[in-house]
Amino acid sequence: MASRRQILTLLGALGLPLATMTDLIAASNDKAAAKPLRVRTITTGLELSPRGESERLDAALDFLAAAKRSFESAGYEVQTLRIATNPWLAGASARDRQQLLARVQELDKIVAGRGVILGLGPVLTQDHSDDGLADWANELIGTTRQVLFSVVIASPERAVHAKGAMVAAQITAALANTLPGGIGNFRFAAAANIPAGTPFFPVGWHKTGAREWVAIGVESASVVEDAFNSMQPGDDPTARLKQTLEKALAPVERVGRAVASEHDRGYLGIDTSPAPGKDRSIAAAIEALTHVPFGSAGTLEACSSITAALKSLDMQTWGYNGLMLPVLEDPLLAQRAGEGRFSMRDLLLYSSVCGTGLDVVPLPGDTSVHAMAAIMRDVAAMSSRLRKPLSVRLFLVPGKKVGDTARFDDKYLTDSMVMKLD
């Protein structure tokens, strides 16, 4: 393949101006570069048990590979492939759970070899204490690479799981020291009323007995930003964003439906939550609407306008369909946090207008278990009261205190100031 320099030399020999040459080079790039969004995840559901089911696992892996080819052929960059299982570890005794760890490690090797992420679903679904689960979780994350899991802290049947929240906080504290920099907590979250089939992890799970399915998650913060940057005086931001998102997501839906039909899987839909990335900021999108730094007055109204558009889309949607504000995945969010423009409580407030909860929020490494459990109960209460899916993924940074800079050697995480819990 010719280099950029070689192409410039060739086009220069034709007497073309620099601007034209640059445009031609851009047009000749990978088709994915021209797309305003990425496919963050293609997720499929799979029922597992301790016995194995290697044949169906192989089929799921083959399906994901084929689905990725279909999306890439349509010009999309596919970031991750994921399998969400039923909660086959929930309810196991401490002894059985330890024996099943070897099975999870075996599964991890299989999916890692195919570049796939495995979500075990919730390992605790009932509201009861489990003093041994944190140590087990520590061993799980320390001995696997591609496995994620959750704990239920709110459900339609019981509302807030206060004991479950304490277990989730204990796991968060344990995982802070499992991997360097505290990144073990990137693979765990507390789940409040998360529906089966949600494509985003760590909270995605498959309902036992349900048909195998596919759901799509998108990285579309840049679409939101483009919509607001193109607004004319008098435009309604929700209407403009709805129109822009439907245009961008309609081709994604067509490909998703086609691959589901071809491989005889149920098509659940798109989780339209506009996930950001290091180069696609949801904070920048919100600032394009408010014209003030994220966290200033007007931010809550902008969050409401975005989520109103997400809920009104004329397409099949599934999962959160809310506003993701992951501090450690969005450099501008991290910058605004460092400037002191918003707090943990502000993030909770934004979740009240259809956000997705608290995600990868950097906290001091010595944050107490009781304090984390309390914030998890707050999120669980909000989820139950508003009847909406929320999750909590707190990120304790060992050795760091409020105001320190947390630095990460990870392709998905950005450096950030450590925030105060309350």
Side-chain angles (χ1 to χ4, degrees):
M1 180 178 292
S3 68
R4 180 185 175 91
R5 182 186 297 273
Q6 289 171 327
I7 296 173
L8 280 171
T9 300
L10 176 61
L11 294 177
L14 298 175
L16 295 174
L18 179 60
T20 301
M21 289 190 288
T22 303
D23 289 343
L24 286 171
I25 292 171
S28 71
N29 283 343
D30 187 333
K31 288 188 291 183
K35 294 291 183 183
L37 58 80
R38 294 187 181 101
V39 174
R40 168 68 68 87
T41 175
I42 305 171
T43 304
T44 190
L46 178 65
E47 186 166 335
L48 286 180
S49 78
R51 292 187 302 275
E53 299 90 9
S54 59
E55 187 173 310
R56 287 194 295 112
L57 176 60
D58 288 341
L61 292 168
D62 290 343
F63 162 71
L64 288 172
K68 180 180 181 181
R69 289 193 295 270
S70 293
F71 274 98
E72 289 178 339
S73 294
Y76 291 97
E77 177 187 347
V78 177
Q79 196 174 65
T80 65
L81 303 174
R82 308 179 186 185
I83 293 175
T85 77
N86 55 307
W88 59 284
L89 290 163
S93 68
R95 180 178 179 179
D96 289 343
R97 198 163 53 213
Q98 193 61 34
Q99 293 176 341
L100 291 172
L101 182 60
R103 172 61 178 152
V104 177
Q105 293 165 341
E106 177 187 349
L107 292 170
D108 178 67
K109 291 179 182 178
I110 294 171
V111 299
R114 300 285 293 271
V116 172
I117 299 170
L118 180 67
L120 300 176
V123 298
L124 179 65
T125 57
Q126 302 300 311
D127 186 23
H128 61 71
S129 300
D130 191 327
D131 294 334
L133 192 53
D135 288 340
W136 181 84
N138 177 62
E139 188 173 359
L140 169 71
I141 295 301
T143 59
T144 60
R145 291 187 294 158
Q146 296 287 87
V147 172
L148 296 87
F149 69 104
S150 64
V151 161
V152 172
I153 60 170
S155 65
E157 300 79 16
R158 193 176 176 84
V160 177
H161 290 210
K163 294 177 181 178
M166 176 56 72
V167 174
Q170 292 168 343
I171 292 173
T172 300
L175 294 184
N177 297 296
T178 304
L179 299 175
I183 62 172
N185 273 306
F186 197 51
R187 293 161 57 188
F188 168 72
N193 293 301
I194 303 296
T198 297
F200 284 110
F201 282 8
V203 297
W205 62 287
H206 174 71
K207 185 177 181 180
T208 301
R211 181 187 181 191
E212 294 173 348
W213 46 266
V214 62
I216 310 299
V218 291
E219 190 175 290
S220 58
S222 59
V223 178
V224 180
E225 184 176 3
D226 289 346
F228 293 150
N229 280 329
S230 65
M231 286 179 57
Q232 301 298 316
D235 280 357
D236 175 69
T238 297
R240 172 54 67 96
L241 180 56
K242 178 180 186 297
Q243 179 185 42
T244 304
L245 282 171
E246 286 179 345
K247 182 178 179 180
L249 294 176
V252 177
E253 182 176 52
R254 286 195 294 271
V255 178
R257 285 186 180 278
V259 296
S261 176
E262 181 181 353
H263 296 273
D264 193 27
R265 291 176 183 258
Y267 174 74
L268 295 185
I270 301 172
D271 190 327
T272 58
S273 304
K278 281 188 174 181
D279 60 344
R280 301 173 189 224
S281 168
I282 192 62
I286 291 170
E287 292 183 6
L289 177 59
T290 64
H291 304 292
V292 293
F294 180 91
S296 305
T299 299
L300 181 63
E301 180 186 19
C303 292
S304 181
S305 295
I306 292 170
T307 52
L310 297 176
K311 300 296 183 183
S312 68
L313 297 177
D314 294 326
M315 61 182 55
Q316 188 165 325
T317 62
W318 198 261
Y320 288 111
N321 298 308
L323 185 62
M324 290 184 172
L325 298 171
V327 178
L328 290 179
E329 294 181 6
D330 186 320
L332 186 56
L333 268 181
Q335 178 185 330
R336 298 300 185 228
E339 295 167 356
R341 295 187 181 276
F342 64 91
S343 67
M344 173 79 79
R345 288 290 168 181
D346 292 320
L347 292 175
L348 271 180
L349 179 63
Y350 303 147
S351 289
S352 71
V353 291
C354 293
T356 61
L358 300 174
D359 196 16
V360 286
V361 182
L363 297 175
D366 62 355
T367 302
S368 77
V369 167
H370 289 283
M372 289 189 291
I375 202 75
M376 289 178 182
R377 292 196 305 272
D378 281 351
V379 174
M382 181 184 295
S383 171
S384 298
R385 180 66 180 85
L386 300 179
R387 299 181 181 179
K388 65 192 301 294
L390 295 173
S391 59
V392 184
R393 187 162 49 160
L394 304 179
F395 217 98
L396 271 61
V397 186
K400 299 294 183 178
K401 61 182 183 297
V402 174
D404 288 348
T405 298
R407 303 189 185 280
F408 302 97
D409 183 19
D410 185 279
K411 64 180 179 180
Y412 296 120
L413 300 178
T414 188
D415 297 345
S416 175
M417 183 197 77
V418 176
M419 299 177 67
K420 186 178 180 181
L421 181 64
D422 190 356

